Amino acid sequence: MATSKVEGSSSLRHAFGGVLSVFILLLIGVVAFSIRLFSVIKYESVIHEFDPYFNYRVTQFLSKNGIYDFWNWFDDRTWYPLGRVIGGTVYPGLTLTAGTMWKLANSLNIPLSVETVCVFTAPIFSAFAAWATYLLTKEVKGPGAGITAAAILAMVPSYISRSVAGSYDNEAVAIFALIFTFYLYIKTLNTGSLFYATLNSFAYFYMVCSWGGYTFIINLIPMHVLLCIVTGRYSSRLYIAYAPLVVLGTLLAALVPVVGFNAVMTSEHFGSFLVFIIIHVVALVYYIKGILTPRLFKVATTLVLTVGIAVCAVVVAILVALVASSPTKGWSGRSLSLLDPTYASKYIPIIASVSEHQPPTWPSYFMDINVLAFLVPAGIVACFLPLSDASSFAVLYLVTSVYFSGVMVRLMLVLAPAACIMSGIALSEAFGVLTRSMKFHITKYFECSHTEAPAKLGESTSTESSAPLENMTKSDTTEKPEVARKEKVARRKQKKEKELTENAHVKPVSAKKEKRPLVLPLEASIVSVFLLIVLGGLYVLHCVWAAAEAYSAPSIVLTSHSHDGLHVFDDFREAYAWLRHNTEVDDKVASWWDYGYQTTAMANRTVIVDNNTWNNTHIATVGTAMSSPEKAAWEIFNSLDVKYVLVVFGGLVGYPSDDINKFLWMVRIGGGVFPHIKEADYLKDGQYRVDAQATHTMLNCLMYKLSYYRFVETDGKGFDRVRRYEIGKKHFKLTHFEEVFTTHHWMVRIYKLKPQKNRIRGKSRKSKLGSKSTSSKSGGMTHKNPWN
Amino acid sequence: MAKGTNDAQLLVQSLRKAYAATPTSLKIIDLYVVYAVATALIQVAYMAMVGSFPFNSFLSGVLSCVGTAVLAVCLRIQVNKDNKEFKDLPPERAFADFVLCNLVLHLVIMNFLG
């Protein structure tokens, strides 16, 4: 009778717990969605930054022209005159997802525009990512840890920074795909079901479609398999989890045009093939071990080893020769720059110049993952008690992502889910221990409410401790395994150190124990629970602050607060709108590559270079033109059929990310391809300056002239608010360019190339055609080659 | 050296004896795996002779053979009665998973074949 009543009440508790979990998860999804809406509330529903504009343009094309045209699209409005094969060079996952959502909404007669769908894709998928974290952590540790981890991930600032509403970039869906793929892998590992292995391959396919970071998955999973084999945890479930994934995964990855045959030919994938072979060898060894007697097995091993080593040596020699023959050892430039942090600065200055590719500083860890930074070590320890395949995977994931986040600040995003999982485990374990202590003490108090010393194990002697421990072993059979774990998790709280040492002494004394659950004193538990809740509250406060203040700036619209209210700087859109309405459709615009995507998307004009940065020489050409004197620059731009030049200038309002601050990178990149541009020519005594002490080359280059033309008219002295001094050359005229538009706060300045004069006085030369023709693809014009 | 060959012979014999004890259904699966791997090797040899021009066709052919071999091995693992981990998995479920995975594999192969 009593047992069935207990069972009934426990199943009722389980049912109640299940319903509560569903509600909690729903609320977590709502939190994840709403915390990312600050930029929509503070500014407007607009697409942020630079890369999202390209994705938005591609999505627009997809929604207008359908998937077949999208797959075969050759874009001629960028990288003039080279063009870009969009179908083959873009990761289609994000655009296809948003396009599908748009199509679905419209088919249900919900009239959402493409822009709205693009802006809100990231918050929706962050809610999905939180739920995926719940599933993953549930597989690793349990449902309690899952809910905690999901709640933490919904708010972690590092993930918010790349998935805020309006940040329509690959990471918005890729992080969800990453977590979901890991969840399915762990689920397959735990259950050994081939069905989940198939789903795992599909999730991996979605990840490959979405982001170049999929190479992290295809290298982490083989590393984990290798770890399991080496630590003696090989099982047939491991084979089922890994082998179908490699075959199906490679095939599916090869289906995506961006990856194509790279799926079998680049070093990023070789690791998975190597472990594929290794796991087959190990499986064979285990099989033979199972059917032979031990003595014969020893004979077999000696035989195989002698023959096998010889064969292996030959194969390895061939492989090494093949790999070493390519200069990058088969790795792509981006992967190499991750493995060797100094590679990019030596060989690929474009990768080195992007600010998100710099190593992070210590404060950025506390800004981005806050409280998790010190919950993670506790979580690592909790994963070892007990160690299972899934928890070893979580630890490996954390360690590798910590390394990569140390190389590039952009990869802190990959660290965020790992840190959330670990912290969720740590917090859940801590809460489990503390509430168990409280429950134990309270039930004990109600049971024997007279005299008997309350079980303050920490201060009691060994004899007294055995009695309450006996009580404990009878009533709490399910929590035995959590003994030592509780010890270690509690170690970080200073108050409990005293009890710990005494608990450790108590342990060997009692006679009857196998696993004794130790409890903490009641006051300590209550205070600790309270402190943990305060910790959680501080974390939430920080996340909301970071989301509202630090990560919600759309960077296309700037605001500043001054004594007379809020100033809005909408100069970028002003300039692009001017271009859109006041130039011909086929006019080409040259600017630094940062603004390429925005120019094609918003101004709808052809650009020379954009953020895809796939052609270093083309970018170097533009960089050289910006660093050359006016005439040489005019020649270069004329050879590229450029009509308008766009520069960004922050000196009047104090906008620090303008082209003058980026100018040295233009010089370096240009100098990397054209040796007549030397960085030292632009520096005075090794220092970069544009005031009166600047070098002659600097004061005469195109970038200086286009930025500071007529700047002295603003305040009479030419005081640059970003560089904080007066500029060097104040009064000068432009001979080959004319200014056509400057925005309200002088942030974007547009110049037009002046046509050549019809007659050149004083010298007898062939008269050049001086017409203002726009597209000059025919060989009518005689162009002087500027590089002779 | 004689001891070596003697040992090798003994080894082969005991392997044969132990293998003969496996049930027939598992032997059929093993035969299928051998056939798939042999087909893959024949394809590789063919590619070595005539060159790899439509590389996607070569890749899809070889990977389909390797893929079905791997899936058959997974089926064998799940159906084997000696395997303690899978003793409460009905063999029909294992076979259904095998069929599903093969369907997906061949769908992808057909797409990639060109």
Side-chain angles (χ1 to χ4, degrees):
Chain A
M1 275 296 108
T3 48
S4 71
K5 200 165 130 199
V6 163
E7 275 172 22
S9 72
S10 89
S11 72
L12 183 67
R13 242 183 334 145
H14 278 149
F16 186 60
V19 171
L20 199 59
S21 316
V22 168
F23 273 123
I24 294 178
L25 282 175
L26 266 175
L27 282 178
I28 288 177
V30 169
V31 163
F33 184 83
S34 13
I35 202 175
R36 287 161 168 83
L37 296 183
F38 277 105
S39 62
V40 174
I41 297 172
K42 285 168 74 171
Y43 299 89
E44 60 183 286
S45 164
V46 73
I47 306 228
H48 299 188
E49 299 276 323
F50 302 111
D51 281 359
Y53 273 99
F54 171 68
N55 295 324
Y56 172 54
R57 182 165 161 254
V58 175
T59 317
Q60 269 181 321
F61 185 86
L62 172 68
S63 61
K64 233 183 297 194
N65 302 54
I67 189 160
Y68 283 106
D69 284 342
F70 163 73
W71 218 242
N72 296 316
W73 186 17
F74 178 81
D75 186 20
D76 55 350
R77 295 189 72 78
T78 175
W79 292 94
Y80 184 84
L82 305 165
R84 179 183 171 184
V85 182
I86 300 278
T89 57
V90 79
Y91 280 100
L94 175 71
T95 47
L96 287 176
T97 309
T100 314
M101 291 203 295
W102 174 83
K103 192 123 191 252
L104 193 66
N106 275 27
S107 69
L108 293 174
N109 275 329
I110 307 173
L112 292 176
S113 73
V114 176
E115 182 175 20
T116 315
V117 172
C118 291
V119 164
F120 289 101
T121 299
I124 293 177
F125 272 83
S126 64
F128 293 161
W131 294 336
T133 313
Y134 163 72
L135 290 170
L136 174 57
T137 321
K138 189 164 77 123
E139 287 298 315
V140 174
K141 215 41 158 172
I147 291 187
T148 324
I152 293 178
L153 184 89
M155 294 187 284
V156 66
S158 158
Y159 185 29
I160 290 182
S161 70
R162 303 289 302 196
S163 70
V164 78
S167 171
Y168 181 56
D169 207 354
N170 286 339
E171 288 93 348
V173 295
I175 296 297
F176 161 68
L178 182 88
I179 304 177
F180 198 57
T181 311
F182 285 154
Y183 157 64
L184 285 172
Y185 171 66
I186 296 293
K187 184 94 184 171
T188 318
L189 196 55
N190 281 345
T191 59
S193 151
L194 204 53
F195 172 65
Y196 279 109
T198 320
L199 288 181
N200 188 17
S201 309
F202 274 135
Y204 173 66
F205 175 51
Y206 184 53
M207 179 71 192
V208 173
C209 283
S210 311
W211 197 28
Y214 76 91
T215 51
F216 181 62
I217 297 188
I218 202 61
N219 283 306
L220 182 65
I221 292 185
M223 266 170 70
H224 176 245
V225 169
L226 210 54
L227 180 73
C228 282
I229 292 177
V230 162
T231 56
R233 303 184 74 93
Y234 170 78
S235 66
S236 42
R237 288 172 289 120
L238 189 70
Y239 182 85
I240 296 181
Y242 182 63
L245 172 69
V246 169
V247 179
L248 259 182
T250 309
L251 269 172
L252 286 168
L255 274 183
V256 180
V258 180
V259 177
F261 294 145
N262 285 347
V264 291
M265 303 224 284
T266 52
S267 293
E268 279 106 357
H269 288 88
F270 282 166
S272 60
F273 298 144
L274 191 65
V275 177
F276 186 66
I277 296 177
I278 290 179
I279 200 175
H280 276 95
V281 169
V282 170
L284 197 64
V285 164
Y286 269 86
Y287 173 68
I288 293 192
K289 198 171 185 178
I291 61 175
L292 281 182
T293 66
R295 181 186 73 87
L296 276 174
F297 182 65
K298 244 184 276 191
V299 168
T301 45
T302 44
L303 193 67
V304 167
L305 276 179
T306 44
V307 171
I309 285 187
V311 172
C312 261
V314 170
V315 169
V316 164
I318 296 179
L319 259 176
V320 164
L322 265 178
V323 163
S325 62
S326 83
T328 58
K329 315 274 181 294
W331 294 90
S332 75
R334 289 191 181 235
S335 309
L336 262 179
S337 66
L338 281 180
L339 294 174
D340 172 17
T342 59
Y343 179 80
S345 48
K346 276 187 278 179
Y347 296 104
I348 319 178
I350 287 192
I351 294 185
S353 73
V354 181
S355 69
E356 5 170 70
H357 291 179
Q358 308 305 319
T361 54
W362 273 113
S364 65
Y365 276 97
F366 287 105
M367 172 71 165
D368 273 351
I369 55 175
N370 208 32
V371 158
L372 312 184
F374 53 85
L375 282 179
V376 159
I380 295 181
V381 174
C383 274
F384 276 95
L385 315 163
L387 185 68
S388 69
D389 293 339
S391 54
S392 71
F393 177 78
V395 172
L396 189 66
Y397 173 29
L398 179 88
V399 168
T400 44
S401 55
V402 164
Y403 169 72
F404 284 121
S405 74
V407 175
M408 258 195 206
V409 78
R410 179 179 186 182
L411 294 179
M412 287 212 43
L413 182 62
V414 178
L415 173 63
C420 292
I421 295 172
M422 285 300 173
S423 327
I425 293 176
L427 269 182
S428 155
E429 293 299 312
F431 268 116
V433 165
L434 296 170
T435 51
R436 182 162 37 93
S437 313
M438 282 166 47
K439 242 191 341 191
F440 169 74
H441 284 292
I442 291 176
T443 54
K444 180 118 181 50
Y445 180 70
F446 280 127
E447 270 176 19
C448 39
S449 51
H450 49 278
T451 67
E452 192 94 31
K456 288 194 189 236
L457 286 181
E459 295 118 10
S460 61
T461 63
S462 53
T463 49
E464 272 185 358
S465 63
S466 52
L469 284 170
E470 269 182 72
N471 223 348
M472 196 60 206
T473 49
K474 272 183 244 156
S475 56
D476 253 335
T477 49
T478 52
E479 284 139 355
K480 278 196 169 98
E482 300 171 318
V483 173
R485 204 189 305 150
K486 179 190 66 65
E487 277 189 12
K488 305 243 184 84
V489 165
R491 202 185 289 280
R492 57 184 180 87
K493 288 274 191 258
Q494 217 181 4
K495 268 195 162 196
K496 301 192 189 100
E497 277 181 32
K498 199 169 54 135
E499 284 98 18
L500 270 175
T501 50
E502 294 177 355
N503 280 344
H505 290 161
V506 164
K507 215 176 162 183
V509 173
S510 169
K512 333 183 136 187
K513 64 146 181 99
E514 276 125 4
K515 286 178 177 179
R516 284 185 346 190
L518 303 171
V519 292
L520 302 161
L522 182 65
E523 298 84 13
S525 317
I526 293 180
V527 171
S528 316
V529 167
F530 175 69
L531 282 178
L532 278 182
I533 293 178
V534 167
L535 187 75
L538 287 176
Y539 171 70
V540 172
L541 263 175
H542 171 85
C543 294
V544 174
W545 169 83
E549 297 300 323
Y551 291 136
S552 288
S555 84
I556 189 143
V557 177
L558 307 161
T559 58
S560 80
H561 297 268
S562 65
H563 56 272
D564 48 341
L566 181 73
H567 279 281
V568 175
F569 300 93
D570 210 1
D571 288 41
F572 286 101
R573 293 197 289 182
E574 190 184 342
Y576 298 132
W578 185 91
L579 271 178
R580 194 187 188 108
H581 292 127
N582 293 300
T583 60
E584 307 283 325
V585 175
D586 280 330
D587 284 346
K588 327 283 188 269
V589 179
S591 66
W592 191 233
W593 59 261
D594 287 358
Y595 315 107
Y597 280 155
Q598 285 183 340
T599 313
T600 14
M602 281 196 269
N604 197 26
R605 294 287 173 267
T606 312
V607 291
I608 305 294
V609 286
D610 69 11
N611 308 55
N612 192 28
T613 65
W614 65 271
N615 190 331
N616 195 24
T617 312
H618 220 49
I619 297 183
T621 312
V622 174
T624 310
M626 296 293 193
S627 326
S628 313
E630 250 188 284
K631 184 155 168 55
W634 187 95
E635 302 280 345
I636 297 178
F637 280 140
N638 200 28
S639 76
L640 287 171
D641 297 338
V642 169
K643 195 87 178 303
Y644 295 92
V645 179
L646 185 151
V647 292
V648 169
F649 171 62
L652 184 65
V653 290
Y655 174 62
S657 317
D658 65 351
D659 281 356
I660 290 284
N661 271 356
K662 295 180 193 164
F663 180 62
L664 272 186
W665 283 110
M666 300 188 199
V667 172
R668 282 179 199 136
I669 295 176
V673 179
F674 299 102
H676 65 272
I677 305 282
K678 299 189 232 327
E679 188 180 345
D681 290 344
Y682 298 85
L683 305 172
K684 179 82 174 188
D685 301 328
Q687 234 194 351
Y688 175 57
R689 46 204 314 167
V690 291
D691 56 4
Q693 309 289 329
T695 59
H696 178 77
T697 331
M698 182 72 219
L699 290 176
N700 274 318
C701 72
L702 185 72
M703 180 53 69
Y704 178 90
K705 286 198 169 169
L706 294 188
S707 294
Y708 291 117
Y709 179 61
R710 291 192 313 114
F711 183 51
V712 69
E713 294 170 17
T714 55
D715 61 349
K717 292 198 304 282
F719 183 76
D720 184 337
R721 292 222 174 98
V722 177
R723 267 58 63 175
R724 303 204 157 272
Y725 42 64
E726 290 182 12
I727 59 176
K729 197 148 100 158
K730 302 189 189 179
H731 304 273
F732 55 89
K733 284 208 190 341
L734 292 176
T735 52
H736 288 72
F737 294 84
E738 57 175 321
E739 179 184 9
V740 284
F741 186 66
T742 298
T743 56
H744 185 219
H745 299 101
W746 287 54
M747 275 173 61
V748 183
R749 312 192 66 182
I750 305 181
Y751 295 83
K752 188 169 167 177
L753 264 69
K754 273 193 193 165
Q756 286 183 304
K757 296 199 179 58
N758 265 328
R759 263 187 328 143
I760 294 153
R761 271 189 257 161
K763 296 205 176 128
S764 54
R765 277 192 212 183
K766 253 193 321 189
S767 64
K768 307 195 183 192
L769 303 164
S771 56
K772 281 192 334 182
S773 63
T774 52
S775 64
S776 54
K777 290 207 185 83
S778 63
M781 274 224 210
T782 50
H783 290 191
K784 224 170 53 157
N785 189 337
W787 288 288
N788 276 350
Chain B
M1 206 47 220
K3 185 169 184 309
T5 44
N6 209 1
D7 270 340
Q9 270 180 349
L10 197 59
L11 187 64
V12 171
Q13 264 176 3
S14 70
L15 267 176
R16 264 222 194 125
K17 211 167 45 174
Y19 187 65
T22 58
T24 325
S25 54
L26 294 184
K27 280 198 200 154
I28 295 179
I29 298 181
D30 289 342
L31 195 61
Y32 178 67
V33 171
V34 169
Y35 156 71
V37 172
T39 316
L41 287 175
I42 292 176
Q43 287 185 349
V44 171
Y46 179 72
M47 184 224 31
M49 281 196 298
V50 301
S52 70
F53 167 52
F55 191 59
N56 53 332
S57 315
F58 163 67
L59 213 56
S60 60
V62 170
L63 282 179
S64 78
C65 295
V66 172
T68 53
V70 163
L71 291 176
V73 171
C74 291
L75 176 67
R76 187 190 198 279
I77 290 173
Q78 289 182 329
V79 161
N80 196 355
K81 294 196 190 37
D82 298 331
N83 232 331
K84 301 292 178 301
E85 284 169 346
F86 292 104
K87 65 172 157 46
D88 46 355
L89 182 74
E92 290 81 13
R93 169 72 198 264
F95 188 67
D97 282 343
F98 169 73
V99 167
L100 172 74
C101 216
N102 260 318
L103 268 175
V104 169
L105 175 72
H106 286 97
L107 188 70
V108 175
I109 295 286
M110 298 292 272
N111 194 357
F112 196 50
L113 204 54

